[in-house]
């Protein structure tokens, strides 16, 4: 939540009364978002880490739960494409493909898994909200890596809704949502 979309999302949750753990690899962005939330009368803490590392995500979630007392909602807003490096797939580098897939898809898996583990242990369900894109449905020229990652997030949400349904509680069940924030190109 140190970037534009994540920061906006964190501030919106805080404005509606949620206690927010702000997570990003950008320490300055984390501090800024936490400061803005707390200055506006909300409650926020900062956790620095990297969504492309399962160990980092697990540690961040553990730290946030210990400091905040639980976990009810997990939002995975980390993402982005290499727009300055957009090119046809036959010209794309392994490094760009790897980075895009790790942030957008692996990050969604790691955050969903970490959240689900805690939410199951708590016994009261929760909300897992990974951001996707309409490009995940429709694809986009010169963005095969990003399109595939966001399409994977959509498929993950459908699968996890079925997989975690057994933990559903009458009042508070697992709810999986994804948001289409990028216009169709």
């Amino acid at each position: 939540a140190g970037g534009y979309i994540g920061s906006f999302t964190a501030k919106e949750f805080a404005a509606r009364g949620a206690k927010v753990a702000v997570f990003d690899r950008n320490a300055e962005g984390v501090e800024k978002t936490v400061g803005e939330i707390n200055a506006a009368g909300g409650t926020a803490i900062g956790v620095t880490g990297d969504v492309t590392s399962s160990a980092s995500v697990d540690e961040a979630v553990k730290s946030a739960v210990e400091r905040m007392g639980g976990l009810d909602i997990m939002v995975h807003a980390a993402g982005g494409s290499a727009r300055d490096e957009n090119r046809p797939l036959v010209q794309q580098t392994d490094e760009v493909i790897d980075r895009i897939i790790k942030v957008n898809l692996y990050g969604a898996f790691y955050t969903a898994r970490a959240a689900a583990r805690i939410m199951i242990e708590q016994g009261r369900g929760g909300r897992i909200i990974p951001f996707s894109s309409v490009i995940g449905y429709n694809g986009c020229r010169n963005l095969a890596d990003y399109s595939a990652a966001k399409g994977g997030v959509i498929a993950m949400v459908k699968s996890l809704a079925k997989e975690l349904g057994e933990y559903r509680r009458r009042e508070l069940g697992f709810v999986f949502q994804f948001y289409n924030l990028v216009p169709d190109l």
Side-chain angles (χ1 to χ4, degrees):
Y4 177 74
I5 294 173
S7 176
F8 176 84
T9 304
K11 290 186 267 189
E12 188 64 28
F13 271 96
R16 295 171 185 261
K19 296 178 185 175
V20 178
V22 176
F23 176 65
D24 199 292
R25 66 181 180 166
N26 174 355
E28 290 178 17
V30 168
E31 289 177 27
K32 181 179 182 218
T33 302
V34 168
E36 290 173 355
I37 290 171
N38 290 333
T43 302
I45 61 166
V47 183
T48 303
D50 183 357
V51 297
T52 67
S53 163
S54 64
S56 182
V57 171
D58 288 345
E59 184 58 37
V61 171
K62 178 182 174 190
S63 173
V65 168
E66 287 173 356
R67 294 165 63 193
M68 302 292 279
L71 177 64
D72 297 310
I73 301 169
M74 169 65 81
V75 176
H76 174 261
S81 66
R83 293 195 191 280
D84 56 333
E85 298 170 306
N86 291 356
R87 55 184 63 100
L89 178 62
V90 297
Q91 297 172 4
Q92 191 55 279
T93 66
D94 292 349
E95 293 77 22
V96 170
I97 293 168
D98 190 50
R99 181 176 32 151
I100 297 304
I101 299 292
K102 281 185 175 177
V103 170
N104 290 282
L105 184 57
Y106 284 18
F109 269 104
Y110 297 155
T111 55
R113 181 177 63 190
R117 286 174 176 162
I118 296 297
M119 292 172 179
I120 289 168
E121 183 180 304
Q122 291 175 158
R124 61 180 188 254
R127 307 291 190 265
I128 298 175
I129 308 170
F131 282 24
S132 186
S133 169
V134 68
I135 292 172
Y137 284 115
N138 299 330
C140 183
R141 181 184 182 113
N142 298 335
L143 285 173
D145 43 19
Y146 182 75
S147 301
K150 291 305 187 179
V153 171
I154 294 166
M156 179 194 76
V157 167
K158 292 175 182 178
S159 295
L160 291 179
K162 295 173 182 177
E163 182 178 322
L164 295 173
E166 69 184 81
Y167 299 100
R168 185 180 178 97
R169 302 290 189 260
R170 200 164 65 134
E171 296 85 20
L172 288 172
F174 279 95
V175 173
F176 292 90
Q177 300 167 315
F178 56 91
Y179 289 88
N180 296 315
L181 297 175
V182 180
D184 190 17
L185 301 177

